[in-house]
């Protein structure tokens, strides 16, 4: 309803491409860290607009690896609505929220939806920053080979191998209390019992949170291809709770991978390490069950920079990793989410072997821009389903209200969710007076 004598005209123009480029053009659809793109952020512009996630993009995840101290991941809309990350100080707002970097020039910075749960989030979208695992579905076939309804599989979140030399501060503290959260609950301090941090320490720390349905276990399984074995060489082994011992090669070397495995297992109660042969002929090395996840130290020392042991591995300690699962007992809460708390940073997440990710579940309801603040070099990778959304038709299906709060300021509000899509400045002296939103 327009009570004024002023006539309004409504037109649509296809939006021109803006920086940063959409994820489908800027990052390969491959979440593997080996496929990640290197990003360098310098002092002259201490932030990088990495990519944008177009409306309609399906289940997008942007992974940020090797983040440096002081770097922070931020996610905003082009209208300056800040949805994930940490608040921008005034100086950063002035530097970043510019048309040159893809933001709407008249939009005002808005933090009301920052890091909110889905029910309170911007457009009630499921947006998350951290590491996340969801239940999956295993495909099942009948006796004739026909596809049947899938079987639910519990959420599983697996870390990378942790660093083998983390010793913490003078108290042995590696991660401060409150630095990380699991499903919204703050975790206590992560402290090493003695010596370097073990995957077993991390698993015990996570289990101490007593999160309903969530359990963590440490594992350390080392797979050595048959082609890598050096069967004429000796081998020394030691699990963290075991004693170093030597597996000596017989004259002429071990007859086969199986012979090497037998020799390793003869000393397993001393070293705390056992082995097996996989179906493809690989040798699989792991801790005894009661020591699962501990470091395994392999020797003897390298010779001229090359492996000098029967496994063909470089000498040194190989650390374990942690596997978290969550039961399906609760019909609603079935995910695992590890996020950064108020006292933490992305480095804390990386310390326990997890990747920092920007998760936009289901079909993206808006266009989101992913950026990183802070100098340093990092890597970015992504997984997504490219948007095929017709933006013009989408606008017709998503009614919004324009409300003037004052003569020089108005809001655009999504009618279906009540979310404020934009708060903008308005200059009535500029003619023709115009309001432009997504086309």
């Amino acid at each position: 309803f327009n009570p004024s004598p002023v006539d309004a005209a409504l037109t649509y123009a296809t939006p021109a491409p803006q920086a940063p480029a959409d994820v489908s053009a800027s990052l390969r659809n491959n979440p593997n860290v080996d496929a990640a793109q290197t990003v360098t952020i310098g002092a002259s512009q201490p932030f990088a607009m990495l990519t944008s996630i177009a409306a309609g993009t399906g289940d997008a995840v942007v992974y940020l690896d090797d983040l440096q101290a002081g770097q922070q991941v931020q996610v905003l809309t082009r209208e300056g609505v800040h949805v994930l990350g940490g608040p921008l100080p005034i100086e950063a707002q002035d530097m970043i929220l510019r048309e040159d970097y893809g933001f709407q020039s008249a939009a005002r910075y808005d933090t009301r939806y920052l890091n909110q749960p889905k029910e309170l989030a911007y457009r009630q979208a499921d947006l998350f920053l951290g590491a996340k695992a969801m239940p999956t579905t295993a495909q099942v076939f009948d006796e004739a080979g026909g596809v049947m309804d899938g079987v639910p599989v519990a959420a599983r979140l697996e870390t990378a191998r942790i660093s083998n030399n983390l010793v913490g501060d003078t108290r042995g503290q590696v991660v401060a209390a409150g630095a990380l959260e699991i499903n919204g609950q703050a975790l206590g301090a992560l402290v090493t019992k003695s010596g370097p941090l073990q995957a077993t320490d991390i698993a015990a720390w996570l289990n101490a949170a007593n999160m309903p349905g969530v359990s963590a276990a440490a594992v350390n399984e080392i797979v050595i291809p048959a082609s890598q074995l050096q069967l004429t060489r000796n081998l020394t082994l030691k699990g963290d709770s075991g004693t170093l011992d030597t597996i000596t090669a017989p004259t002429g070397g071990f007859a086969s991978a199986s012979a090497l495995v037998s020799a390793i297992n003869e000393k397993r109660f001393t070293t705390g390490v056992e082995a097996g042969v996989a179906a493809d002929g690989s040798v699989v090395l792991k801790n005894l069950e009661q020591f699962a996840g501990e470091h395994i130290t392999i020797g003897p020392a390298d010779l001229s920079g090359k492996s000098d042991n029967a496994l063909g591995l470089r000498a040194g300690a190989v650390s374990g990793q942690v596997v978290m699962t969550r039961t399906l007992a609760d019909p609603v809460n079935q995910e695992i989410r590890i996020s950064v708390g108020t006292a933490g940073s992305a480095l804390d997440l990386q310390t326990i072997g997890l990747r920092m990710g920007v998760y936009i579940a289901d079909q993206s309801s808006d266009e989101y821009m992913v950026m990183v603040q802070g100098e340093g070099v990092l890597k970015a990778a992504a997984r997504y389903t490219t948007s095929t959304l017709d933006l013009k038709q989408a606008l017709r299906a998503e009614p919004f209200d324009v409300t003037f709060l004052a003569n020089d300021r108005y809001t655009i509000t999504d009618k279906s969710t009540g979310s404020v899509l934009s708060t903008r400045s308005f200059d009535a002296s500029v003619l023709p007076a115009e309001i432009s939103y997504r086309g």
Side-chain angles (χ1 to χ4, degrees), residues 12 14-15 54-56 367 387-398 438-439:
Y12 178 83
T14 302
E367 184 171 16
S387 175
T388 57
L389 190 69
D390 183 318
L391 294 179
K392 185 175 182 180
Q393 296 305 319
L395 273 174
R396 287 174 171 164
E398 298 173 358
R438 294 175 65 179

Side-chain angles (χ1 to χ4, degrees), residues 86-415:
L88 298 177
I90 294 296
E91 317 85 73
Q93 293 177 39
D94 292 342
M95 181 185 295
I96 297 169
L97 303 180
R98 299 181 181 182
E99 204 166 2
D100 289 346
Y101 302 127
F103 292 96
Q104 214 284 335
S105 59
R108 298 188 179 191
Y109 180 59
D110 188 346
T111 60
R112 77 185 76 187
Y113 304 109
L114 185 59
N115 302 322
Q116 292 293 333
K118 182 177 179 180
E119 60 273 14
L120 300 175
Y122 178 75
R123 304 191 77 166
Q124 296 179 359
D126 188 353
L127 309 171
F128 178 69
L129 182 62
K132 171 181 166 182
M134 299 169 289
T136 56
T137 302
Q139 198 165 44
V140 179
F141 301 90
D142 61 25
E143 293 179 356
V147 178
M148 301 174 64
D149 290 340
V151 176
V153 178
R156 175 186 172 96
L157 184 59
E158 186 173 313
T159 74
R161 292 187 184 278
I162 65 169
S163 172
N164 63 10
N165 59 0
L166 284 172
V167 294
D169 59 19
T170 54
R171 298 167 294 169
Q173 180 174 284
V174 178
V175 175
L180 294 176
E181 299 179 355
I182 180 167
N183 292 349
Q185 176 181 313
L187 289 162
L190 173 58
V191 179
T192 61
K193 292 179 181 177
S194 62
L197 181 73
Q198 304 274 333
T200 50
D201 297 328
I202 297 174
W205 170 67
L206 290 166
N207 287 329
N210 293 315
M211 179 57 57
V214 178
S215 61
V219 295
N220 190 358
E221 187 173 282
I222 307 166
V223 180
I224 305 99
S227 60
Q228 185 176 312
L229 299 175
Q230 302 179 133
L231 298 177
T232 60
R233 310 291 176 86
N234 297 331
L235 174 67
T236 63
L237 287 175
K238 179 187 179 302
D240 192 66
S241 294
T243 301
L244 183 70
D245 207 342
T246 301
I247 295 91
T248 305
T251 303
F254 296 101
S256 63
S258 295
L260 171 61
V261 164
S262 294
I264 291 171
N265 288 339
E266 285 177 6
K267 299 195 175 184
R268 65 188 184 279
F269 296 118
T270 301
T271 63
V273 180
E274 62 184 355
V277 179
D280 64 357
S282 299
V283 170
V284 181
L285 204 66
K286 62 181 181 179
N287 311 101
L288 294 183
E289 185 176 357
Q290 62 268 38
F291 307 130
E294 292 183 351
H295 287 14
I296 296 175
T297 301
I298 298 167
D302 294 340
L303 188 63
S304 301
K306 294 184 179 180
S307 170
D308 189 38
N309 63 71
L311 298 175
L313 296 173
R314 298 298 296 270
V318 179
S319 56
Q321 55 194 128
V322 177
V323 177
M324 285 167 275
T325 56
R326 186 170 190 177
T327 67
L328 299 172
D330 187 324
V332 177
N333 300 308
Q334 299 180 339
E335 295 184 346
I336 302 172
R337 299 188 178 205
I338 308 290
S339 55
V340 176
T342 54
S345 72
L347 291 182
D348 295 307
L349 202 65
Q350 292 174 173
T351 293
I352 64 170
L354 291 173
R355 304 176 76 184
M356 173 65 83
V358 173
Y359 293 80
I360 301 174
D362 304 317
Q363 190 177 71
S364 178
S365 59
D366 209 313
E367 184 171 16
Y368 298 98
M369 297 194 291
V370 180
M371 61 170 284
V372 174
Q373 285 179 281
E375 296 177 46
V377 180
L378 64 135
K379 292 183 177 180
R383 182 188 72 224
Y384 51 86
T385 299
T386 303
S387 175
T388 57
L389 190 69
D390 183 318
L391 294 179
K392 185 175 182 180
Q393 296 305 319
L395 273 174
R396 287 174 171 164
E398 298 173 358
F400 56 85
D401 289 327
V402 177
T403 304
F404 274 83
L405 307 176
N407 290 337
D408 62 349
R409 182 163 47 97
Y410 65 93
T411 59
I412 301 173
T413 304
D414 176 40
K415 293 189 73 169

